């Protein structure tokens, strides 16, 4: 029974609870997914994905620490790659349930029994395209977290009776994702709405869905830039079809200002009463323009303070901007809490109840195009400006033109692979999944800590970053397959293991697109 729940629409049944719309007026059985209008299914599907990715578990205790944006203030075992199997099992399930939710939107707009009724909520083709784009966005997170995973058979329980899904190679998954995005954007009619209501991300704007789909195709293409010589063709196709044009096109999910529909970062701190996270010192150093002297690492813009500093974090009790060491053993980490910023008291932007979690920003696209165009200065500067303006607007603040110009000038003296990668990393704040991917793809920022480097000095002794799982001396490459797979999908699980390095379920098997030879290697694009 558990296997059935994993790859079906059970999430759709559950997400009638999560939909922000009032479904009491719908005179239909709420326990039957086929009776829920497609716009409500889409609304619930979007929120299900956001709630289970941008939270204090999948993001907070995994991707945001893997990318060294956040660090735990109390218990650091997960930061050092000792993952809770219960959490790993749950989120593997939740993300696949998310795929099934978007599949349901597609079914409601393709099945002859439902499509005519649901066309009232947006043209069938546009709804299908938006759902496909979200499926690819989510599938990219899944495969870049675990590697080779079920894809081609994962949604075929209902249609074909497939109970045990085979694992696809990541190479094949990327091929199919790019194809699916291309097909989706080519079917969008921008003269018609995608949804009449229920779409929190773009408010049903078909043009914005098309631009997001093409921009997402650029993200996938840049992931493949070290391994696939066709990556530039994918970006060229996307740009010609139409990508994001400004910050107005950014893909973000804004939580409601009413009721208890909070951003999950806020929920964890202020509803559940936790105070477990703060800004990681490596990111803090990058934002403050300070070098990591303990590890003899330089800063590309020494002395330049990033204007986003006061938005991403808050000062400590003494009014100073500091960060928690990344990452010391539990017990030693406690000693640094008093001098670190207390996010629960200071409440930076990401911890506000209506925080807009970022799926993809316009600035990210500009940094992709900068790399695509041979590290073009104009694309780079446009990206830096877009990021500053995006984050200030999100925080309801204004950055003066003089301060913006000064920062752009300071960080643009040399435009190359490193500067582009670091500025993209800084823009990807709270988007830990993508930041982690870019670190593994490029080897930047070098200012982040690798295992064996010094996290802090405690009692006059250096404390080194010592992982609790074997990572072969690098940051974590992947998350292990969840243990439930070994019992619920045993034959396919064993075959998947045979394709990993050493034939074991480990943390160090590289992604298909990661061709680095060492932790500080920066391979060239094909």
């Amino acid at each position: 029974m558990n296997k059935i729940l994993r790859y079906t629409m059970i999430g759709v049944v559950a997400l009638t609870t999560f939909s922000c719309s009032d479904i009491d007026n719908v005179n239909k059985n709420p326990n039957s997914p086929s009776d829920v209008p497609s716009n409500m299914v889409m609304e619930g599907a979007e929120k299900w994905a956001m709630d289970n990715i941008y939270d204090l578990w999948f993001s907070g205790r995994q991707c945001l620490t893997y990318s060294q944006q956040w660090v735990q203030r109390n218990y650091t075992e997960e930061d050092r790659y000792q993952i809770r199997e219960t959490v790993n099992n749950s989120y593997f399930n939740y993300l696949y349930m998310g795929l099934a939710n978007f599949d349901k939107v597609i079914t409601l707009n393709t099945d002859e029994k439902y499509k005519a009724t649901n066309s009232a909520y947006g043209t069938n083709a546009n709804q299908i395209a938006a759902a496909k784009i979200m499926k690819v966005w989510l599938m990219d997170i899944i495969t870049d977290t675990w590697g080779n995973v079920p894809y081609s058979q994962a949604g075929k329980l209902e249609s074909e009776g497939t109970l045990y899904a085979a694992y696809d190679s990541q190479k094949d998954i990327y091929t199919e994702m790019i194809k699916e995005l291309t097909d989706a954007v080519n079917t969008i009619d921008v003269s018609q709405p995608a949804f009449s209501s229920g779409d929190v991300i773009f408010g049903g704007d078909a043009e914005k869905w098309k631009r997001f789909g093409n921009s997402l195709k650029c993200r996938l293409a840049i992931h493949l830039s070290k391994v696939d010589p066709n990556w530039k063709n994918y970006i060229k196709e996307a740009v010609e079809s139409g990508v994001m044009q400004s910050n107005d096109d950014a893909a973000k999910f804004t939580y409601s200002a009413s009721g208890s529909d909070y951003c999950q970062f806020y929920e964890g701190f202020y509803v559940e009463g936790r105070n477990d996270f703060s800004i990681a010192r490596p990111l803090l150093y990058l934002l403050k323009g300070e070098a990591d002297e303990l590890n003899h690492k330089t800063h590309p813009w020494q002395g330049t303070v990033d204007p986003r500093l006061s938005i991403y974090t808050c000062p400590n009790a003494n009014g100073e901007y500091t960060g928690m060491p990344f990452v010391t053993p539990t017990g030693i980490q406690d000693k640094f809490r008093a001098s670190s910023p207390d996010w629960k008291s200071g409440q930076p932007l990401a911890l506000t109840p209506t925080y807009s979690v970022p799926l993809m920003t316009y600035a990210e696209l500009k940094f992709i195009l900068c790399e695509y165009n041979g590290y073009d200065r104009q694309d780079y500067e446009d990206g830096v400006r877009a990021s500053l303006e995006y984050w200030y607007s999100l925080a309801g603040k204004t950055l003066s033109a003089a301060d913006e110009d000064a920062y752009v000038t300071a960080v643009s003296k040399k435009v190359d692979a490193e500067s582009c990668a670091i500025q993209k990393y800084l823009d990807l704040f709270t988007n830990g999944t993508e930041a982690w991917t870019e670190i593994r793809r490029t080897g930047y920022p070098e200012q982040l800590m690798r295992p064996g480097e010094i996290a802090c000095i405690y009692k006059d002794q250096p404390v080194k970053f010592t992982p609790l799982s074997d990572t072969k001396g690098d940051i974590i490459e992947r998350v292990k397959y969840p243990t439930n797979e070994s019992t619920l999908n045993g034959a396919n699980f064993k075959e998947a293991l045979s394709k990993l390095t050493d034939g074991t379920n480990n943390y160090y098997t590289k992604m298909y697109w990661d061709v680095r030879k060492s932790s500080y290697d920066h391979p060239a694009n094909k």
Side-chain angles (χ1 to χ4, degrees), residues 70-130:
W70 290 19
V71 64
Q72 294 196 76
R73 288 160 46 93
N74 305 309
Y75 309 106
T76 65
E77 283 75 16
E78 287 140 322
D79 300 25
R80 294 185 289 148
Y81 313 141
Q82 182 175 296
I83 295 172
R84 304 187 201 194
E85 281 301 331
T86 53
V87 174
N88 195 27
N89 283 318
S90 295
Y91 281 84
F92 193 76
N93 295 350
Y94 295 159
L95 269 57
Y96 271 100
M97 287 160 63
L99 291 181
N101 296 339
F102 293 116
D103 267 332
K104 192 60 189 178
V105 177
I106 295 170
T107 298
L108 291 172
N109 284 279
T110 54
D111 193 309
E112 293 297 332
K113 293 181 292 184
Y114 312 120
K115 62 184 295 186
T117 299
N118 286 291
S119 65
Y121 311 111
T123 61
N124 296 131
N126 284 353
Q127 291 189 55
I128 291 167

Side-chain angles (χ1 to χ4, degrees), residues 75 115 183 205 220 256 265 279 299 312 379 484 495 502 507 513-514:
Y75 309 106
K115 62 184 295 186
D183 291 344
D205 189 321
L220 300 186
S256 173
F265 295 148
I279 191 168
H299 193 295
Y312 289 176
D379 285 326
N484 280 356
E495 183 180 356
D502 301 332
Y507 294 100
W513 37 258
D514 181 358

Side-chain angles (χ1 to χ4, degrees), residues 41-344:
V41 176
M42 186 66 173
E43 182 179 9
E46 289 177 357
K47 188 172 187 299
W48 176 270
M50 301 307 113
D51 284 355
N52 288 293
I53 291 174
Y54 300 99
D55 70 346
L56 295 188
W57 291 98
F58 186 78
S59 279
R61 289 174 175 84
Q62 292 193 186
C63 300
L64 287 173
T65 61
Y66 301 162
S67 62
Q68 301 184 29
Q69 295 185 2
W70 290 19
V71 64
Q72 294 196 76
R73 288 160 46 93
N74 305 309
Y75 309 106
T76 65
E77 283 75 16
E78 287 140 322
D79 300 25
R80 294 185 289 148
Y81 313 141
Q82 182 175 296
I83 295 172
R84 304 187 201 194
E85 281 301 331
T86 53
V87 174
N88 195 27
N89 283 318
S90 295
Y91 281 84
F92 193 76
N93 295 350
Y94 295 159
L95 269 57
Y96 271 100
M97 287 160 63
L99 291 181
N101 296 339
F102 293 116
D103 267 332
K104 192 60 189 178
V105 177
I106 295 170
T107 298
L108 291 172
N109 284 279
T110 54
D111 193 309
E112 293 297 332
K113 293 181 292 184
Y114 312 120
K115 62 184 295 186
T117 299
N118 286 291
S119 65
Y121 311 111
T123 61
N124 296 131
N126 284 353
Q127 291 189 55
I128 291 167
K132 284 184 175 181
I133 291 167
M134 285 303 298
K135 271 191 66 181
V136 171
W137 173 82
L138 180 53
M139 189 65 218
D140 181 42
I141 291 173
I142 293 172
T143 187
D144 290 346
T145 300
W146 287 281
N148 300 338
V149 288
Y151 182 50
S152 59
Q153 295 180 358
K156 293 187 176 180
L157 172 65
E158 184 180 30
S159 60
E160 299 179 16
T162 301
L163 290 174
Y164 306 105
Y167 286 57
D168 298 86
S169 74
Q170 191 173 45
K171 179 179 180 180
D172 290 343
I173 291 172
Y174 263 84
T175 297
E176 289 304 310
M177 289 193 299
I178 288 175
K179 181 179 182 300
E180 192 155 7
L181 279 178
T182 302
D183 291 344
V185 297
N186 286 343
T187 61
I188 292 177
D189 180 356
V190 297
S191 69
Q192 299 293 325
F195 291 92
S196 58
S197 64
D199 169 22
V200 180
I201 297 172
F202 289 122
D205 189 321
E207 180 69 46
K208 290 186 185 297
W209 274 109
K210 183 173 184 177
R211 291 176 181 175
F212 174 43
N214 281 316
S215 300
L216 183 57
K217 183 175 175 180
C218 292
R219 174 191 282 181
L220 300 186
I222 210 70
H223 289 179
L224 297 175
S225 62
K226 316 297 185 185
V227 294
D228 186 347
N230 293 314
W231 71 275
K232 282 200 165 187
N233 291 332
Y234 305 144
I235 294 180
K236 181 176 183 290
E237 292 169 357
V239 171
E240 289 176 349
S241 178
V243 293
M244 293 177 182
Q245 299 299 305
S246 70
N247 283 333
D248 289 340
D249 293 331
K252 59 184 185 291
F253 183 97
T254 303
Y255 280 82
S256 173
S258 61
S260 59
D261 185 19
Y262 311 121
C263 167
Q264 292 301 294
F265 295 148
Y266 173 89
E267 177 100 2
F269 271 78
Y270 300 100
V271 179
E272 297 174 3
R274 307 292 300 181
N275 191 11
D276 291 341
F277 299 92
S278 189
I279 191 168
R281 189 174 287 175
L283 173 57
L284 190 281
Y285 281 158
L286 283 172
L287 291 168
K288 288 185 69 176
E290 295 180 356
D292 177 2
E293 296 180 356
L294 290 179
N295 294 292
H296 309 290
K297 295 186 178 184
T298 60
H299 193 295
W301 311 298
Q302 186 84 18
T304 299
V305 178
D306 194 306
R308 291 163 290 196
L309 174 64
S310 62
I311 294 174
Y312 289 176
T313 187
C314 61
N316 66 9
N318 295 324
E320 301 170 335
Y321 282 97
T322 58
M324 290 287 284
F326 188 91
V327 55
T328 68
T330 297
I332 293 179
Q333 190 78 332
D334 301 350
K335 313 306 178 185
F336 293 89
R337 279 207 300 267
S339 61
S340 72
D342 183 348
W343 277 2
K344 192 168 185 178

